[in-house]
Amino acid sequence: MFRSTFFATILTVLLVTITTIATTAQSDKSFDVGLEIQVYPTGVIPGLHFEYGLSDKDGLLGRIGYNIVNHRDLGVQDNEKGGGFGFSVGYRRYFKTNRQGFFLGARTDLWFNKIDWKQDPNLITEVKGRTDITVFQPTVEAGYVVNLKKEGWSFVPSIAFGAEINIKTKGEPVGEGAVLLLGFTFRKRF
């Protein structure tokens, strides 16, 4: 019950904020497309990054990607590995015009993961299983846009902090909790 209410509240706040910004700001008519990778202690997320300029200092971002998970023995089970496709939506506020320099933002991810796990591989009879999970991952982020010499290209390092929350689980419980992500995006502005 708590997870459903939490998920609904965060999603509603995010959608209201994005809608408000989108209806009150004039677009800077630019669109960034690129490749992004985020790494965290128990996984890697490669993906396609999209950002639409809501205004000179505001961006609406999206991502589609694949979450490669290797919880090792840091999850509920002794060995958890797997992954799945998902997507992200978010918002960034830049400190400089033309969506440049430092920024702060918020992002919400939804991942549809399949986790293969083993329980205590030292037992005579090893217990194995698969768990299908839907993961809600809200994060806050900070980063910096580094313009490259070639016109319109940029490199964007970022750091994000949030939580992995398993909102739907089919099978035995698997790991969830706080997450720290280091990201790198190489993108082109159109």
Side-chain angles (χ1 to χ4, degrees):
M1 176 71 178
F2 170 75
R3 289 185 181 165
S4 298
T5 304
F6 178 76
F7 171 70
T9 302
I10 295 294
L11 191 58
T12 301
V13 168
L14 183 63
L15 290 174
V16 167
T17 302
I18 290 169
T19 303
T20 302
I21 292 166
T23 56
T24 59
Q26 292 185 351
S27 172
D28 74 351
K29 297 187 182 8
S30 67
F31 191 74
D32 299 326
V33 178
L35 298 175
E36 176 178 316
I37 188 161
Q38 280 189 308
V39 295
Y40 58 104
T42 59
V44 177
I45 305 170
L48 294 173
H49 169 95
F50 311 94
E51 185 174 335
Y52 177 70
L54 295 172
S55 75
D56 206 28
K57 290 188 173 185
D58 301 290
L60 175 65
L61 62 107
R63 168 179 64 180
I64 54 173
Y66 191 85
N67 191 351
I68 303 165
V69 179
N70 184 3
H71 288 162
R72 301 176 304 279
D73 62 352
L74 300 173
V76 176
Q77 310 301 326
D78 288 330
N79 187 1
E80 301 177 359
K81 292 182 181 179
F85 288 97
F87 63 93
S88 311
V89 293
Y91 165 77
R92 286 181 176 167
R93 175 68 178 182
Y94 292 85
F95 291 89
K96 290 185 176 180
T97 59
N98 199 26
R99 292 185 293 119
Q100 300 295 314
F102 285 104
F103 64 83
L104 295 175
R107 179 188 298 209
T108 298
D109 298 2
L110 204 56
W111 301 105
F112 304 95
N113 295 338
K114 295 184 184 307
I115 305 295
D116 294 317
W117 54 266
K118 296 177 188 175
Q119 190 58 271
D120 196 353
N122 297 322
L123 290 175
I124 294 171
T125 306
E126 188 174 72
V127 179
K128 298 179 182 181
R130 172 174 271 187
T131 300
D132 294 344
I133 55 173
T134 302
V135 180
F136 173 63
Q137 184 179 303
T139 56
V140 292
E141 69 172 346
Y144 187 82
V145 176
V146 178
N147 289 317
L148 303 176
K149 291 184 179 182
K150 192 161 184 168
E151 183 65 31
W153 288 93
S154 61
F155 174 70
V156 184
S158 64
I159 189 165
F161 178 74
E164 292 180 317
I165 304 164
N166 297 342
I167 59 172
K168 184 177 178 185
T169 302
K170 183 179 176 187
E172 295 298 315
V174 292
E176 61 184 326
V179 64
L180 180 67
L181 303 111
L182 185 59
F184 303 96
T185 305
F186 183 66
R187 67 187 193 180
K188 168 81 169 132
R189 179 161 293 175
F190 297 93

